[in-house]
Amino acid sequence: MESILFYLFATVLVVSAAMVVTIRNPVKAALFLVLSFFSAACIWMTLEAEFLSIALVLVYVGAVMVLFLFVVMMLDIDVESMREGFARNLPVGALVAGVMVVEFAVVMMSDRFDSQSLPRPAGHGPDYSNTKELGLVLYTDYVFAFEVAGLILLVAIVAAIVLTMRRRPNTRYQSPSEQVKVNKSERLRIVSMPAEKRLDIDN
Amino acid sequence: MGWIMTTWDSLPLILQLGIKIGFIVGPLIVAVAYYTLAERKVIAYMHVRVGPNRVGPRGLLQPIADVLKLMFKEMIIPSKSDKYLFLIAPVLAVTPAFAAWAVIPFSGTLVLADIDAGLLYVLALTSMSVYGVIIAGWASNSKYAFLGALRSAAQIVAYEIAMGFALVGVLMVAGSLNLNTIIQAQSGGLHQWFFLPLFPLFLVYLISGVAETNRAPFDVAEGESEIVAGFHVDYSGMGFAAFFLAEYANMLMISALTVILFLGGWNSPFDFPPFSWLPGVFWFLAKLSVVAFLFLWFRATFPRYRYDQIMRLGWKVFIPVTLIWIAVIGAFKFFTPFGFIFS
C-alpha cells in the first residue's frame, strides 16, 4: 500500500515538475509548481513527517505560490520574445545545469548515502507526535541556529520593505483618521435660494 | 446490536472510512442547502419582508428546487476560456472546503481523524481554498472575473496572516495542536472558554473569518455593484453551484472553528445539570448555529467596505493587535504570577 502511494505521488511530482519547465504558459507553469509542491507534501506525509508536510502546504502552496500567481497573472508575458533568447543563453544554462548534475552525483555517490550506511529508520506508532518532537529539538539543541535563522528572515523583511518603499513626492493618499474626523460644517454649505417661478401647466 | 458491530469490523478499512466520510459530507451538504434558505429567510425578516415562501410549506423546499434548477441548467464554457482550468476551478474550491471537516470533533469521541496536528491541517486546507477563486478568475478570460480573483487573492492572503496569529494565541494557551485537546482545555463551564482571556484574538478571528470567506461586508471579490459577480461571473449551472456550495461550507467551517477554538467546542456552558445532561453534539451544533447566524446578521447590517479600508484593517489593525496580544500572553505566562489567566 505504502509503495503504491509512493509511486503514485512520485509520478505526479516528477511529471508536474517537468511540466513546470516545459509548458509555454507561465500561469500554468506556476500551477504545476503548486501541484509538485503538493505531491512532495504527500510523500513526506507517508514518511511520517506530518508537520513538515503540512508546513510545506501551508507556507508554499497557501502563501508563496498565491503571491507568485498573483504577479504572474498580471504580467503580460510575450512568449515569443522570451523564446528568442533561448539559443543565446543555452551555453551558459547548459554549463550551470552540468555543474549541478556533477555536484549532485558527487554527493549522492559518496559513502554517506550508501544504502548500507543509512539504515531504514524505525516507524513510530500513531501516538508519536512528530510536531512535539520537532519543537523539543528546535527550541533546545538547535535554539541558536533557529534564532539566527529568525534574525536573517527579519533582516530580509526589513530589506524588502526598504527596497520597495520609495516615497514619490506627488503621490496622493488617503488619511482615514482625518476622513473620520470630518463633520457636517466642513463639507456642507447650505445656500438659501429664492424659489423658482411656478410653471403654468394649464397652457 | 452485536451483529452490527461484527459486520462493521469485517468491512475493509477503506469502505469503513468511506461510510464515515459519507456521514459527514451528506449532512454537511443538507446543512449548506438549508443554510442558504436560512440566509434568505433571516435577511428577509431583518428587512421586514417574508422571503421565499412558495415552494413547499413556508418555503421549506426552496433549496431542493434551487439545487434541481442548477443541476439541469446548461453549463456554459466561454469559448476563449481555458477549458481545463475552467472546469478544475470549482472542484478546487469545493475539495478543501469539505476535506477540512475530517478533523472537526463533533463530540469527545465523534471525530473522523483525531490527528495530532489537527489545527495545522485545517489552516493548510483553508489556505488552499483561494486557488479555486484565482483559477476561476483567470481561466474565465474575462476582466470582471479577473478583477474579482485578484481582489479576493489579496484579501485572503492578508487576513490569513491575522487568522494564523490568532490561532497562535490559542495554541499558547491550550498547549496543543490537537483540536480535541484544545476543547478539553476549555472544559468546566463558560468562564473557562478561551474567548475571555483571548478576547482581542476572538474578535480578530471572527472578523477575519468573514473576510476569509468573502462574505459581506468584505465581499468585494464578488461586489455585484462594481464587477457583476466577481470571479464566478462566467459560471453557470453546476459550476456556479459548486462555488456556492464551497462558500457556504467554508462559512460553516469557520463557525465550527470559532466554536472549537474560542467557545468551548462540545463543552456545555454550565457544568451542572440539566445543562451537563445534554450530549456534546447538541452543544457543538447549537453554538455553531449561533456563530453561523452572526454571518447572516452581518450581511443584513453592514454596508460593504471600501477596498483600501479592507487592506488597512487587515494589515495595519489586525496583525499588530494579534502580535501584541501574543506577546502579552507570553509575558504573562512566563514572567508574572498571573499566568493562570492564560491556562
Side-chain angles (χ1 to χ4, degrees), chain A residues 100-117:
Chain A
M100 281 172 75
V101 168
V102 170
E103 281 177 354
F104 262 118
V106 169
V107 172
M108 295 306 284
M109 282 157 82
S110 65
D111 292 341
R112 203 174 267 266
F113 285 94
D114 203 8
S115 58
Q116 263 80 45
S117 58

Side-chain angles (χ1 to χ4, degrees), chain A residues 99-147:
Chain A
V99 169
M100 281 172 75
V101 168
V102 170
E103 281 177 354
F104 262 118
V106 169
V107 172
M108 295 306 284
M109 282 157 82
S110 65
D111 292 341
R112 203 174 267 266
F113 285 94
D114 203 8
S115 58
Q116 263 80 45
S117 58
L118 273 182
R120 190 187 164 86
H124 296 282
D127 291 332
Y128 180 76
S129 173
N130 183 287
T131 315
K132 192 176 256 173
E133 295 296 321
L134 199 66
L136 283 176
V137 174
L138 209 56
Y139 293 118
T140 52
D141 295 353
Y142 299 101
V143 68
F144 183 66
F146 181 75
E147 287 181 348

Side-chain angles (χ1 to χ4, degrees), chain B residues 179-194:
Chain B
L179 293 177
N180 245 333
T181 316
I182 292 174
I183 294 175
Q184 272 151 17
Q186 304 178 64
S187 62
L190 196 67
H191 59 284
Q192 294 285 347
W193 296 357
F194 286 161

Side-chain angles (χ1 to χ4, degrees), chain A residues 195-203:
Chain A
E196 285 182 28
K197 228 189 249 174
R198 196 183 65 148
L199 282 174
D200 222 347
I201 305 168
D202 292 341
N203 285 343

Side-chain angles (χ1 to χ4, degrees), chain B residues 100-132:
Chain B
W101 286 87
V103 295
I104 297 294
F106 295 94
S107 80
T109 49
L110 207 61
V111 49
L112 177 63
D114 193 9
I115 61 173
D116 201 58
L119 195 56
L120 274 181
Y121 170 84
V122 169
L123 205 60
L125 278 178
T126 45
S127 74
M128 279 179 58
S129 61
V130 64
Y131 280 102

Side-chain angles (χ1 to χ4, degrees), chain B:
Chain B
M1 280 307 281
W3 66 272
I4 298 180
M5 290 313 293
T6 46
T7 356
W8 176 255
D9 288 334
S10 67
L11 289 173
L13 183 67
I14 201 141
L15 205 64
Q16 284 187 11
L17 284 177
I19 293 170
K20 285 182 187 170
I21 291 170
F23 270 106
I24 293 179
V25 171
L28 183 62
I29 290 177
V30 175
V32 164
Y34 276 89
Y35 193 29
T36 62
L37 177 71
E39 169 165 49
R40 294 170 69 180
K41 276 288 192 189
V42 166
I43 292 179
Y45 285 125
M46 285 179 179
H47 292 165
V48 204
R49 291 183 286 119
V50 183
N53 64 346
R54 290 287 163 231
V55 191
R58 291 175 159 270
L60 275 177
L61 295 178
Q62 182 71 40
I64 317 266
D66 285 341
V67 168
L68 287 177
K69 182 190 78 178
L70 285 170
M71 265 162 60
F72 290 110
K73 272 199 167 183
E74 184 188 357
M75 171 111 186
I76 300 164
I77 299 175
S79 57
K80 286 287 177 69
S81 68
D82 190 308
K83 286 186 189 55
Y84 296 110
L85 289 180
F86 189 80
L87 292 176
I88 287 172
V91 182
L92 280 179
V94 170
T95 319
F98 280 176
W101 286 87
V103 295
I104 297 294
F106 295 94
S107 80
T109 49
L110 207 61
V111 49
L112 177 63
D114 193 9
I115 61 173
D116 201 58
L119 195 56
L120 274 181
Y121 170 84
V122 169
L123 205 60
L125 278 178
T126 45
S127 74
M128 279 179 58
S129 61
V130 64
Y131 280 102
V133 175
I134 303 187
I135 294 176
W138 188 77
S140 301
N141 203 1
S142 144
K143 286 189 184 66
Y144 292 126
F146 187 54
L147 278 173
L150 286 184
R151 286 179 173 195
S152 165
Q155 182 179 329
I156 289 180
V157 168
Y159 280 85
E160 210 171 77
I161 299 170
M163 246 174 143
F165 279 138
L167 297 185
V168 170
V170 175
L171 296 189
M172 289 174 76
V173 176
S176 173
L177 279 167
N178 180 291
L179 293 177
N180 245 333
T181 316
I182 292 174
I183 294 175
Q184 272 151 17
Q186 304 178 64
S187 62
L190 196 67
H191 59 284
Q192 294 285 347
W193 296 357
F194 286 161
F195 80 100
L196 285 174
L198 301 177
F199 193 69
L201 298 186
F202 170 62
L203 286 186
V204 167
Y205 187 83
L206 194 61
I207 299 171
S208 307
V210 181
E212 189 80 353
T213 47
N214 284 326
R215 293 284 303 175
F218 301 99
D219 60 342
V220 289
E222 44 190 287
E224 54 276 82
S225 56
E226 305 145 27
I227 49 173
V228 200
F231 61 93
H232 56 44
V233 63
D234 278 319
Y235 282 86
S236 57
M238 279 313 283
F240 175 74
F243 280 116
F244 217 71
L245 195 66
E247 182 180 331
Y248 284 79
N250 273 329
M251 281 156 73
L252 291 176
M253 181 76 219
I254 295 287
S255 311
L257 280 177
T258 312
V259 169
I260 288 168
L261 299 174
F262 295 101
L263 300 175
W266 35 260
N267 286 310
S268 76
F270 304 103
D271 206 13
F272 47 80
F275 300 102
S276 53
W277 287 341
L278 289 161
V281 187
F282 168 79
W283 287 116
F284 181 76
L285 294 179
K287 292 176 199 171
L288 196 157
S289 314
V290 171
V291 182
F293 180 79
L294 286 181
F295 273 85
L296 311 183
W297 195 357
F298 290 154
R299 183 173 168 196
T301 310
F302 298 118
R304 186 176 293 141
Y305 255 95
R306 211 172 61 202
Y307 193 69
D308 63 310
Q309 289 175 330
I310 292 182
M311 283 296 150
R312 188 176 151 265
L313 186 70
W315 289 104
K316 293 188 179 173
V317 180
F318 281 177
I319 292 176
V321 164
T322 49
L323 280 176
I324 288 169
W325 205 250
I326 287 172
V328 166
I329 297 170
F332 261 77
K333 278 191 96 149
F334 292 102
F335 298 121
T336 70
F338 303 107
F340 63 89
I341 302 171
F342 297 109
S343 62

